[in-house]
Structure formats: C-alpha cells, structure tokens
Amino acid sequence: MTDPIPLSLLDLVRVREGFDAANALAEAQAIATHADRLGFHRYWVAEHHNMQSIASAATSVVLAHAGQHTRRIRIGSGGIMLPNHAPYIIAEQFGTLAALFPGRVDLGLGRAPGTDQATLQAIRTSAGAAERFPQEVMELMHWFAPADEPGYVRAWPAAGAKVDFWILGSSQFGAMLAAELGLPYGFASHFAPDYLDEALHLYRTRFKPSSQLQAPRAMIGVNVVCADTTEEARRLFTTAQMSFCGIFRGVRGLSQPPIDDIGTYWTPREEAQVSRMLSCAVVGNPAEVKAGLSALQARTGADEFIIVTDIWDPEARRCSLALTAEAWGLTAA
C-alpha cells in the first residue's frame, strides 16, 4: 500500500463576524500549531489587500507569527503577489524567515494583484507590472544565490539562504513559466478550477529540470470540510458558500456563521456561479472526504493537496482538520 500524498494547509486568516483581526491572527498561530501536530506538510497564507475579512496582508509578518509555535511544518506564501513589490524587498523578508526557520520556508509567487485597481494605486504598483512577472521571478531568485562572487548589492540575509520557490496560478501562463524555470507549480483550483487539467498537462509536458527540481511537482488547491456526519459538513460549508456568493454581490464582508438552508440565501444564478468556482470542493464525513480526495488525485495526478477549510467556528475547524488528517492517513508529529 502506497503512502498518501502530502496534505498542506492554506489559511485564509479570515476575520469572523463578531471578532477582529487580532482574533484572526491568534487563531492563525493556533491553527498552524494544530496542523503541525497533525502531520500537515505546509502551512501557507496568501497576500490580499483592502479586504477587512482577511488579515494576511502583511504575509511575511503573519508567517513569522505562525512559525513561532511550530517545529516541523513548512511555512510559506500562497502566494506573494510579486508585481506589488520590489523583488529585493521580498528577498530580504523571506531571507529573514529562512534565518528564523531554517529549512522550512516556501516562497510561492503569483502575478495577480490580490486586490482592486484603486488599491493598486495606493500600493504604488506600476502599470504593466504583471507583464514583467517572469523577469522579476528570476531577479528574486538571483538575490538568493550564494554570495561567492564580488558584488556591491546583496539582499542580506537572503544570499545563500535555502528557500523553495513555487509558481502559483490558475491559467496556462503560470503553468508554462513554472515548467520553463523548473519550479514546482501550485494551481488555484480552490477558487478557479476551470483550467486545472489543461494547466497541469502543459506544466508536465513542458517541464525542464532545474537545480531545485528534477521532475515536475504539482500541488492543487481544494476546499475541504469534514465532520462526523455529511449533514453537519454541508452546514459548515455554507460559510464558504456565502463568502463566494459575496464576490458576485460585490460584498466582501466578514466570515459568517453557517446556516441551515443555503437555498434560502442565494438565487439560482448565484448558486450556479458559486458551484462552478467550488467544483473541486470535497465536503462530507471522513469516508466521503477520503473518497473525494482520492478521486481528485486519480483524475489530476496531483503530487500534493493544499486544502482550504473555511469554517466559522474555530473548534469545528480544528475538528475538520483532524478528521481529514486521520481519514487521509497522515502521521501525527
């Protein structure tokens, strides 16, 4: 019997209705510790801006906060939106993380803005920055090269630091870039699954080995909610469904408690839109979650899953992660 592929966790660091960002950040640290003990492989957070409901805008700071009480699990970005930053600054930040948590840091990179156009102006992101993404990825990797040649500018303490680079995306672009650079690839199928199979095919067929990676490695995002019963899992999942529905309504409110009947919340059109975005979700009791993840692995050949468990109640979220880890056969640390 072969070992299951690794499970990792993407934490949205959601601010819940009735609570604040301080509570969300405290919970992020607690959930990272929990995931570490359960045997999850990575703990990642993503860069978002101008969203009251998400507390991970200062991504590297959140990772340092989460890393303080973990011992084994890798920590990283899923991802840093590189067009918003000078590569040199990101090198300094993640070089520092690598010094704090040696051998445990991942740097996942995306080219999406992670926000709206008005906020991009506040960030001072220049026009056309996304088009320079491949060049800026290579520049960023350069700052991590060993400082074994004379040079006036170094991104200390990044020079020579061991950080694993990932390219993240939801389209052909990221897949082809990851393949060209010989980097692992993460696909955002937890919210944009339309091009999942096509992107994975492109990545694998065009992959060129590199010093970091000799063969393609693909990780895919999956929304997972697990509970003792199917009915309870579906009820807990309504928090994520309402959040996605808010996207189409132009409302990015705080994370809401689950409801008993999601059918009373949305229109048929909203249901269809949300269901399409969440088509890779796996929701149910432990046996159903194991079967759902196994089917998704068989379909995609994924080398790793990174799961999102958007549950309003922290205890129910911890329980979901524990049930998922047990069902999938993770070994507790």
Side-chain angles (χ1 to χ4, degrees):
M1 183 176 179
T2 59
D3 292 333
I5 65 171
L7 282 188
S8 294
L9 178 64
L10 175 61
D11 189 357
L12 300 180
V13 196
R14 293 294 305 271
V15 181
R16 297 183 293 143
E17 190 175 274
F19 297 86
D20 59 14
N23 175 268
L25 291 166
E27 176 59 21
Q29 189 175 73
I31 211 71
T33 304
H34 186 58
D36 192 17
R37 291 171 179 164
L38 290 173
F40 280 79
H41 188 48
R42 310 176 201 274
Y43 172 85
W44 281 10
V45 298
E47 174 188 342
H48 295 89
H49 300 284
N50 194 27
M51 294 185 186
Q52 184 184 7
S53 60
I54 296 180
S56 57
T59 309
S60 59
V61 178
V62 177
L63 290 174
H65 176 65
Q68 289 176 331
H69 292 276
T70 57
R71 295 292 178 266
R72 175 202 56 83
I73 197 168
R74 298 187 66 89
I75 58 174
S77 59
I80 288 291
M81 302 298 106
L82 192 54
N84 295 341
H85 310 275
Y88 184 90
I89 299 300
I90 296 302
E92 289 181 328
Q93 292 177 4
F94 277 76
T96 301
L97 286 172
L100 290 169
F101 311 108
R104 294 174 53 201
V105 176
D106 300 322
L107 180 43
L109 301 166
R111 66 168 182 151
T115 190
D116 55 80
Q117 291 300 313
T119 308
L120 284 181
Q121 294 180 7
I123 296 171
R124 301 294 194 270
T125 301
S126 61
E131 281 66 45
R132 299 190 296 273
F133 181 63
Q135 293 76 21
E136 295 201 337
V137 170
M138 290 186 285
E139 179 188 339
L140 177 57
M141 295 173 69
H142 161 75
W143 294 123
F144 282 88
D148 51 10
E149 296 181 3
Y152 180 70
V153 180
R154 296 282 188 243
W156 304 110
K162 180 65 173 70
V163 168
D164 282 1
F165 290 88
W166 287 73
I167 299 296
L168 312 178
S170 59
S171 67
Q172 298 177 2
F173 182 92
M176 291 189 291
L177 179 60
E180 178 66 26
L181 297 179
L183 295 177
Y185 177 55
F187 190 90
S189 39
H190 58 293
F191 71 88
D194 289 355
Y195 299 103
L196 171 60
D197 299 291
E198 182 179 353
L200 292 180
H201 175 74
L202 280 172
Y203 171 62
R204 288 169 176 144
T205 56
R206 300 192 181 194
F207 181 84
K208 298 179 180 179
S210 69
S211 59
Q212 178 175 324
L213 196 64
Q214 292 299 300
R217 180 176 183 83
M219 175 169 64
I220 66 173
V222 189
N223 288 279
V224 176
V225 175
C226 190
D228 289 326
T229 67
T230 305
E231 294 72 22
E232 177 61 8
R234 290 176 178 170
R235 189 184 75 87
L236 294 172
F237 188 50
T238 60
T239 290
Q241 291 172 314
M242 287 186 289
S243 176
F244 274 81
C245 189
I247 296 173
F248 298 105
R249 295 179 180 180
V251 177
R252 297 294 186 103
L254 302 183
S255 179
Q256 299 178 62
I259 57 177
D260 292 330
D261 185 6
I262 190 66
T264 63
Y265 182 83
W266 54 22
T267 67
R269 181 178 181 182
E270 290 170 338
E271 179 182 6
Q273 292 170 318
V274 171
S275 296
R276 180 175 177 178
M277 294 181 73
L278 293 174
S279 62
C280 287
V282 177
V283 179
N285 62 41
E288 291 168 331
V289 165
K290 181 180 180 181
L293 289 175
S294 297
L296 191 57
Q297 185 189 4
R299 170 192 148 192
T300 64
D303 300 296
E304 186 172 339
F305 289 128
I306 187 161
I307 70 170
V308 176
T309 301
D310 187 7
I311 295 176
W312 187 85
D313 179 74
E315 287 304 318
R317 188 178 179 213
R318 290 183 181 86
C319 181
S320 177
L321 290 173
L323 291 173
T324 301
E326 182 180 9
W328 195 241
L330 297 189
T331 302

